[in-house]
Amino acid sequence: MASTRDGVNWPRAQALAAAERASYIARNPESARLAGQAAQHLLFGVPMHWMNDWSTPFALTVSEASGARFRDTDGHEYIDFCLGDTGAMFGHAPQPVAQAIARQATRGYTAMLPSEDAAPVAAELARRFGLPYWQFALSASDANRFVLRWLRAATGRGKVLVFNGCYHGTVDDVFVDLVDGVPTQRDSLLGQVHKLTDHTVVVEFNDLPALEAALKQGDIACVLAEPVMTNIGMVLPQPGYWEAAQQLIKRHGSLLVIDETHTISSGPGGYAQAHGMQPDALVVGKPIGGGIPCAVYGFTEELARRVEQAKRSAPPGHSGVGTTLSANMFAMAAMRANLEQVMTEDAYRHMFALAAQLAEGLRAVIARHKLPWCVTQIGARTEFQFTPTAPQNGTQAQAILDGDLEQIIHLYLLNRGLLITPFHNMLLVCPATAESDVTRLLHAFEDCIRQLLFG
């Protein structure tokens, strides 16, 4: 009997991988040429080293992107279900944002002073997310860093609690995992000289007793969490988890920070608003300005007062919070247009309907071929996972990842003009995605499954 892995015929999968790599090389000579040129002066041959970690033999070079599609330098058009891993969740170059930044382009980019868009943007954020006070950053990584600094200052506590397998950008504090139940600094974190486990506590998601035991120590400033874990593969909260967790956090004098950078797919006000959560602080990054580098973070009234008091009580000098380009005029113009004209209720209704169609279609393919896989959906975000039942924590989610199989499926789809998110199996739909795009993805996905099973 041929060997199997994750329900597929593995020798056939390896043969398919070799064929798809050869096809990619043959059909992308211009991307190959540009990759060779880039290697002369770009470290690792790409603008960011992780661009080498995709499924492709060399990086695909994009020439233009609009709506739910992009084109590469070899002239191939792709339907994009990755959408910049949420950065372009509302489509590439949405027209209202493009028009706003075109207007702003002749009126200045940055001045270290408020622009006329600042107050309307903050008011709209307050309306959507239910938190009255806001600040800005250039990325969710920066926003999370700033929030942790503010909350440590406001509470007088030094520790932060995160969930095993969490993702909050490149914030050093969060690179701590549970390894055989022991908090361990992640080996992949480069150049870290401080012992992170002195100030970071890590527990499993959905484990209320572990959360309470950690909070009882009385030294945790805040819990930093995605309401749904997303980057290790989607992990949903169990029924009642967040209701109980919020009570525990409040009872023990800690604060809750919800990172909605990915879960903004849940609705115009994110997962917290859609599910009645009441965080003390909230962060949104990538998609909030339509793909322009920017991020936002908001506080409750009570926390804002504590933060202001901490700043006023501190000695004069740099707070360690904020960068010169934070809240620049260019980003504020993009955010205002995106919030007011792109991230609309109608847009979300369209996205939710298509994501549901996509999720049900994936489930049907998986069922037809009797694969031990499942599909998880949260709003406009869908993921298929190599396990019969969805994982309940980061350890379980890590155990089911299969990078080799992911890359085969991803490259197969890419060679047929379909892009999904690398490093796991996440798919997004945007306001410009059409039903026919979803149908095409499902047909290609099923063709790939047939190749993996039968050759």
Side-chain angles (χ1 to χ4, degrees):
M1 181 182 291
S3 62
T4 61
R5 180 164 137 192
D6 295 312
V8 308
N9 183 311
W10 195 244
R12 285 177 180 152
Q14 291 173 307
L16 180 61
E20 293 303 320
R21 288 175 67 85
S23 174
Y24 178 88
I25 292 168
R27 70 196 298 271
N28 292 296
E30 182 62 12
S31 279
R33 185 188 71 80
L34 290 171
Q37 185 181 79
Q40 298 175 36
H41 298 291
L42 286 174
L43 189 63
F44 302 103
V46 283
M48 286 296 294
H49 67 88
W50 45 257
M51 292 179 180
N52 275 332
D53 297 336
W54 287 64
S55 60
T56 54
F58 48 82
L60 186 73
T61 300
V62 175
S63 61
E64 59 180 325
S66 178
R69 284 167 164 71
F70 70 92
R71 186 175 295 274
D72 68 21
T73 52
D74 286 283
H76 306 121
E77 185 176 87
Y78 300 81
I79 303 170
D80 192 355
F81 289 93
C82 171
L83 296 169
D85 192 14
T86 312
M89 194 183 89
F90 301 104
H92 295 287
Q95 188 175 19
V97 176
Q99 292 171 342
I101 62 178
R103 287 194 301 270
Q104 191 62 43
T106 61
R107 302 174 63 197
Y109 303 159
T110 185
M112 290 183 67
L113 289 166
S115 70
E116 62 187 2
D117 293 316
V121 167
E124 175 60 13
L125 292 170
R127 183 192 71 81
R128 279 176 182 257
F129 297 104
L131 297 173
Y133 291 99
W134 292 84
Q135 291 279 272
F136 301 89
L138 288 176
S139 69
S141 293
D142 274 351
N144 281 317
R145 286 189 190 96
F146 300 160
V147 168
L148 293 184
R149 191 174 289 274
W150 281 126
L151 269 56
R152 283 169 165 153
T155 62
R157 296 180 174 187
K159 291 188 178 181
V160 58
L161 184 146
V162 297
F163 293 106
N164 186 38
C166 70
Y167 180 73
H168 301 288
T170 58
V171 180
D172 289 357
D173 306 69
V174 308
F175 282 76
V176 179
D177 296 320
L178 285 176
V179 179
D180 297 324
V182 178
T184 306
Q185 188 164 307
R186 198 171 299 172
D187 291 338
S188 60
L189 181 60
L190 293 172
Q192 178 61 45
V193 296
H194 304 294
K195 187 179 178 184
L196 296 180
T197 50
D198 286 345
H199 301 287
T200 301
V201 177
V202 58
V203 301
E204 292 285 11
F205 194 56
N206 282 318
D207 188 339
L208 287 170
L211 176 63
E212 183 169 24
L215 291 169
K216 277 183 177 179
Q217 303 306 309
D219 55 359
I220 292 173
C222 66
V223 173
L224 173 60
E226 289 186 291
V228 174
M229 295 184 71
T230 63
N231 210 61
I232 199 167
M234 289 173 67
V235 181
L236 298 175
Q238 294 298 293
Y241 174 75
W242 273 122
E243 290 85 347
Q246 288 179 103
Q247 292 176 12
L248 289 174
I249 292 165
K250 187 172 184 177
R251 183 185 310 154
H252 293 288
S254 296
L255 300 166
L256 175 61
V257 182
I258 289 297
D259 184 346
E260 294 263 22
T261 298
H262 285 164
T263 55
I264 191 67
S265 64
S266 303
Y271 185 96
Q273 281 290 95
H275 294 267
M277 295 181 66
Q278 295 181 315
D280 299 286
L282 184 142
V283 170
V284 188
K286 303 180 210 182
I288 201 72
I292 295 295
C294 57
V296 300
Y297 59 97
F299 296 146
T300 61
E301 172 94 27
E302 191 271 340
L303 178 54
R305 298 297 168 242
R306 294 171 70 180
V307 164
E308 289 175 341
Q309 181 60 35
K311 172 59 180 167
R312 294 190 180 107
S313 301
H318 201 300
S319 64
V321 175
T323 58
T324 307
L325 291 176
S326 296
N328 67 78
M329 295 187 291
F330 203 67
M332 299 300 282
M335 276 189 281
R336 184 174 183 179
N338 199 54
L339 286 163
E340 293 180 351
Q341 301 178 63
V342 181
M343 293 175 61
T344 64
E345 295 279 359
D346 285 344
Y348 273 97
R349 275 192 288 271
H350 173 81
M351 292 156 68
F352 288 172
L354 282 187
Q357 178 183 330
L358 175 58
E360 287 306 310
L362 291 170
R363 290 188 185 104
V365 172
I366 289 166
R368 273 197 295 275
H369 296 282
K370 299 181 172 59
L371 285 167
W373 301 356
C374 69
V375 176
T376 308
Q377 181 197 349
I378 183 73
R381 186 182 183 96
T382 306
E383 182 153 9
F384 59 92
Q385 296 171 292
F386 304 136
T387 179
T389 57
Q392 295 186 24
N393 59 45
T395 295
Q396 292 177 9
Q398 178 67 45
I400 65 172
L401 295 178
D402 188 331
D404 294 333
L405 182 55
E406 287 170 9
Q407 291 210 346
I408 295 168
I409 296 171
H410 295 191
L411 186 55
Y412 185 97
L413 295 173
L414 188 69
N415 282 337
R416 287 148 186 83
L418 298 151
L419 182 72
I420 70 173
T421 305
F423 321 135
H424 48 120
N425 297 316
M426 193 274 292
L427 303 96
L428 281 168
V429 295
C430 73
T433 307
E435 285 191 27
S436 58
D437 298 334
V438 170
T439 299
R440 180 172 158 189
L441 183 283
L442 292 171
H443 285 160
F445 178 71
E446 184 152 28
D447 288 343
C448 180
I449 297 305
R450 290 193 183 101
Q451 292 290 321
L452 289 169
L453 293 175
F454 311 116

